[in-house]
Amino acid sequence: MKGDAYLKCIDPYCGLEYPITSTNIQCEKGHLLDVIYKNKPPSSLKEVFYKRRNPEGSIFNESGVWRFRELLNFCQIDTENIEECSKYLVSLDGAEGRLSKPYRMSKAADLIGMSNDNLWLQPEGYNPSGSFKDNGMATAVTHAKMVGAKKIVCASTGNTSASAGMFAANEGIKCDVYIPAGQIAPGKLSQAYQFGAQILEVDGNFDDALKQSLEDAQNHNGYTVNSINPFRIEGQKTIPFRALEYLNWETPDWIVYPGGALGNTSSCGKALMELYDWGWIKKIPRIAVINSEGASTLSDLYNGKFEGEELRWNKGKPNTELISRYYDHLDKEGLRPKTKATAIQIGRPANILKGLRALEFTDGVVTTVTDSQMLDGMSVVGLNGFDCEMASGATVVGIKKLIDEGVIQKDDIVVGILTGRQKDAMLPVDYHNNPENKFAKPPKN
Ligand code: F0G
């Protein structure tokens, strides 16, 4: 197994390689990295994963991340040997990904206007820290442990910091979190404090906080756990793995995510590229990314709303100058991302190139929704007895918009990811106190 996994630059015209123990998040030329596996896992593992749903006392079978450990075996260990797994794999007692699977939600299907049989929504908010981040944090912190890191560092709109803080506390390592002051949900901020993370308040937005955290991590020996870390992406591949397994590996037509820094889009793309390459799936689902109207970098560039050019991965030759000119334009005009869905209030998605690669591989689409639509999406999920936050509401109303536009067909099978749990207690209270809102149920005296 040793020597099976390594890091490789995503740019096919660069392709620099690094050993798996490297802590570089970019190649020397500044391109993002992928974890690459030399061996092709056999599809007979589908049976093994299914059997592990009866965990028989192993937290690594209970974990919805490590249950698929052969498909993310960057530690290059004997995955059947539980003692060896315990030495390497970081887990919150098997809780990450454990409660995640797709559900039917009839009221959401009604709002969207599609048959309840065709719509699956997968809540990732029931992870131990309350968001999908735990999937990728389990793997990133596993790598941090593998390289002997003493401190993990991240910038965050809230959920990453909660997840990083939780795993760091559990592993007994330090955690610094850079947050845009005053711009994160109170419930997320309080989690970071609760888990003993060191908060660093940045006067600016998430993009500014990320820049500062990356500089500080480099200068002060910190291990970055944002989604530009390729090991985060490995864990987040298990989000589509669980959906696919639940559907007996019959691929849906669409997988839909809210778009922020585009870690999810990237990881879904990588998961599908690998499964297709390994012969596990025959059809490639299309990815739809839903931006907030107030933080729409990907949508603007992908849909040709800036300078008229539709930005594409273009087989590894994306027009990166177009992206730079877009960012210069934002700076020059003083345009800052602005949405009440603070989780996705991001102007410079750090994984944009991996995101574009995923969209090209899956013939994906990108669209935007408004704040008030996202609140409706969040609220209708609640009416099915499930909890999610405002950014996750984008998935529901994004599907509706794409159905209304005829991009998604009514008989398509759609899996939407609900990325996080409600951590801004006043949002639903305010929503329901305003009788003008679509699903409002105001209090009575
Ligand atoms: N949904 C939620 C609930 C999030 O917290 C985030 C990102 C996203 C969607 C966007 O996902 O970055 O993979 O496109 N939150 C990050 C954070 C940025 O710091 O917690 P993405």
Side-chain angles (χ1 to χ4, degrees):
M1 286 297 239
K2 295 278 176 219
D4 183 30
Y6 61 99
L7 290 167
K8 185 170 182 182
C9 165
I10 65 163
D11 181 337
Y13 300 92
C14 174
L16 285 167
E17 294 180 5
Y18 300 90
I20 203 71
T21 47
S22 165
T23 54
N24 294 352
I25 44 172
Q26 296 181 334
C27 80
E28 277 125 78
K29 297 194 183 143
H31 310 132
L32 295 173
L33 300 172
D34 270 332
V35 179
I36 303 283
Y37 304 99
K38 282 187 193 151
N39 291 328
K40 295 188 181 193
S43 64
S44 55
L45 281 167
K46 288 176 184 173
E47 226 14 68
V48 175
F49 300 156
Y50 188 77
K51 286 209 183 100
R52 285 180 184 157
R53 285 161 77 168
N54 177 1
E56 296 185 340
S58 162
I59 62 163
F60 305 108
N61 292 347
E62 243 179 89
S63 164
V65 172
W66 296 121
R67 193 151 61 78
F68 299 98
R69 52 194 176 269
E70 284 80 1
L71 309 191
L72 14 143
N73 191 12
F74 57 82
C75 293
Q76 303 166 92
I77 55 172
D78 174 355
T79 49
E80 289 297 344
N81 182 332
I82 296 303
E83 277 190 15
E84 204 173 338
C85 287
S86 307
K87 264 191 258 157
Y88 288 88
L89 309 183
V90 168
S91 172
L92 203 96
D93 202 29
E96 59 285 333
R98 184 169 61 200
L99 296 180
S100 142
K101 63 173 187 173
Y103 288 89
R104 293 216 161 100
M105 298 192 196
S106 62
K107 295 200 171 90
D110 286 349
L111 170 72
I112 290 170
M114 66 188 290
S115 155
N116 193 29
D117 293 339
N118 293 354
L119 176 71
W120 297 96
L121 293 172
Q122 179 163 308
E124 289 293 327
Y126 303 132
N127 270 294
S129 82
S131 83
F132 74 88
K133 306 284 179 181
D134 296 341
N135 293 288
M137 205 56 73
T139 45
V141 179
T142 293
H143 187 252
K145 190 170 140 182
M146 182 173 154
V147 300
K150 301 277 180 288
K151 181 173 77 176
I152 60 173
V153 179
C154 66
S156 184
T157 59
N159 282 324
T160 299
S161 55
S163 183
M166 180 190 74
F167 277 103
N170 210 244
E171 289 300 312
I173 55 177
K174 288 188 186 151
C175 178
D176 285 356
V177 303
Y178 291 72
I179 55 148
Q183 294 177 33
I184 81 172
K188 298 175 184 175
L189 184 59
S190 71
Q191 283 181 292
Y193 279 114
Q194 169 74 1
F195 295 132
Q198 178 61 58
I199 312 276
L200 293 114
E201 290 187 322
V202 176
D203 190 15
N205 61 18
F206 170 80
D207 303 313
D208 305 314
L210 180 61
K211 191 162 172 270
Q212 197 178 322
S213 85
L214 292 174
E215 281 166 14
D216 286 5
Q218 192 154 35
N219 297 334
H220 304 290
N221 229 357
Y223 179 99
T224 293
V225 294
N226 279 99
S227 55
I228 44 169
N229 175 331
F231 297 92
R232 271 279 306 274
I233 301 296
E234 289 310 289
Q236 282 172 217
K237 290 189 313 194
T238 64
I239 298 171
F241 289 166
R242 289 189 295 272
L244 285 167
E245 183 187 56
Y246 197 79
L247 303 177
N248 293 319
W249 300 95
E250 279 177 29
T251 40
D253 297 295
W254 294 90
I255 303 182
V256 186
Y257 289 98
L262 303 176
N264 270 327
T265 312
S266 306
S267 57
C268 186
K270 185 169 189 276
L272 297 173
M273 287 191 275
E274 289 176 340
L275 292 176
Y276 190 74
D277 180 42
W278 298 336
W280 286 44
I281 56 171
K282 298 278 172 265
K283 193 184 88 184
I284 302 165
R286 299 177 71 183
I287 295 178
V289 181
I290 318 299
N291 273 162
S292 157
E293 220 169 60
S296 57
T297 297
L298 181 70
S299 172
D300 290 352
L301 289 169
Y302 195 75
N303 295 319
K305 293 191 178 150
F306 178 69
E307 294 187 3
E309 179 180 335
E310 292 182 346
L311 179 67
R312 290 292 181 271
W313 172 244
N314 195 21
K315 299 198 174 83
K317 278 197 189 299
N319 185 353
T320 50
E321 279 163 21
L322 185 73
I323 306 175
S324 303
R325 286 202 299 279
Y326 180 84
Y327 292 160
D328 288 347
H329 156 80
L330 294 186
D331 288 345
K332 211 168 119 226
E333 302 295 322
L335 299 169
R336 313 287 275 171
K338 183 117 197 69
T339 167
K340 256 176 120 168
T342 49
I344 52 172
Q345 184 167 263
I346 294 173
R348 296 171 185 244
N351 290 296
I352 190 162
L353 295 182
K354 279 188 182 174
L356 289 170
R357 184 180 63 170
L359 289 165
E360 187 153 294
F361 181 72
T362 65
D363 189 20
V365 301
V366 186
T367 193
T368 58
V369 290
T370 65
D371 278 9
S372 105
Q373 289 169 328
M374 278 187 272
L375 286 168
D376 288 341
M378 173 189 93
S379 302
V380 81
V381 166
L383 300 181
N384 292 274
F386 287 90
D387 188 25
C388 78
E389 69 167 82
M390 184 170 167
S392 311
T395 294
V396 178
V397 287
I399 298 170
K400 175 173 166 51
K401 183 172 174 189
L402 292 170
I403 289 255
D404 290 347
E405 289 175 353
V407 178
I408 299 181
Q409 306 301 311
K410 283 199 171 174
D411 56 356
D412 282 349
I413 305 288
V414 181
V415 175
I417 309 300
L418 304 175
T419 42
R421 190 160 192 159
Q422 184 62 260
K423 298 182 185 177
D424 196 342
M426 287 315 286
L427 270 185
V429 177
D430 292 343
Y431 180 90
H432 284 280
N433 271 275
N434 181 351
E436 287 183 7
N437 286 326
K438 195 177 186 86
F439 298 105
K441 200 180 223 185
K444 285 184 183 162
N445 294 322

